[in-house]
Amino acid sequence: QVQLVESGGGLVQAGGSLRLSCAASGSIFSINAMGWYRQAPGKQRELVAHITKWDSTNYADSVKGRFTISRDGAKNTVYLQMNSLKPEDTAVYYCNADVLARVGELYTYWGQGTQVTVSS
């Protein structure tokens, strides 16, 4: 089993910055990919950013140029640096990981979510 522990959410003013962190622990051989999703009230959960073990990345169009995803393989941790935050970025942000277990089993895990609120 794998646990994802998130941190870094909070309240910020428009134009401000936050950095989210998500650390994976448990039965991990390797992590194929990690990502960040977000969900606002009444809205579908959407992909924000995604990074693979080969360091290829994808971003939602709405955050390109403002957000940067990165990872620390030694710590099984993914980060999301969020700059120039807008009120429309307000949502619960969820960490996601595709984890390869030692025996070759691939599983998808989700964090508990962390609230990001951007004031006008």
Side-chain angles (χ1 to χ4, degrees):
Q1 278 57 258
V2 172
Q3 292 180 312
L4 304 180
V5 179
E6 302 169 352
S7 62
L11 306 172
V12 295
Q13 296 178 350
S17 298
L18 284 173
R19 190 170 92 145
L20 305 183
S21 300
C22 174
S25 62
S27 183
I28 299 170
F29 177 65
S30 67
I31 298 177
N32 281 5
M34 299 186 79
W36 291 95
Y37 292 71
R38 68 186 181 188
Q39 187 169 24
K43 301 294 182 68
Q44 290 280 353
R45 187 173 300 185
E46 65 174 348
L47 174 69
V48 177
H50 179 266
I51 186 168
T52 71
K53 65 189 297 183
W54 314 112
D55 288 321
S56 63
T57 59
N58 289 303
Y59 295 92
D61 288 341
S62 59
V63 308
K64 286 181 180 177
R66 300 188 297 120
F67 292 9
T68 302
I69 190 169
S70 61
R71 68 183 185 91
D72 184 334
K75 297 180 179 179
N76 290 326
T77 299
V78 65
Y79 306 94
L80 186 68
Q81 179 66 46
M82 304 186 292
N83 298 327
S84 301
L85 283 161
K86 304 174 180 179
E88 60 217 66
D89 295 318
T90 296
V92 177
Y93 284 69
Y94 296 91
C95 179
N96 165 274
D98 293 327
V99 177
L100 184 66
R102 195 69 176 88
V103 295
E105 302 164 340
L106 185 65
Y107 298 98
T108 299
Y109 295 91
W110 292 89
Q112 77 285 354
T114 185
Q115 178 71 46
V116 172
T117 302
V118 184
S119 62
S120 300

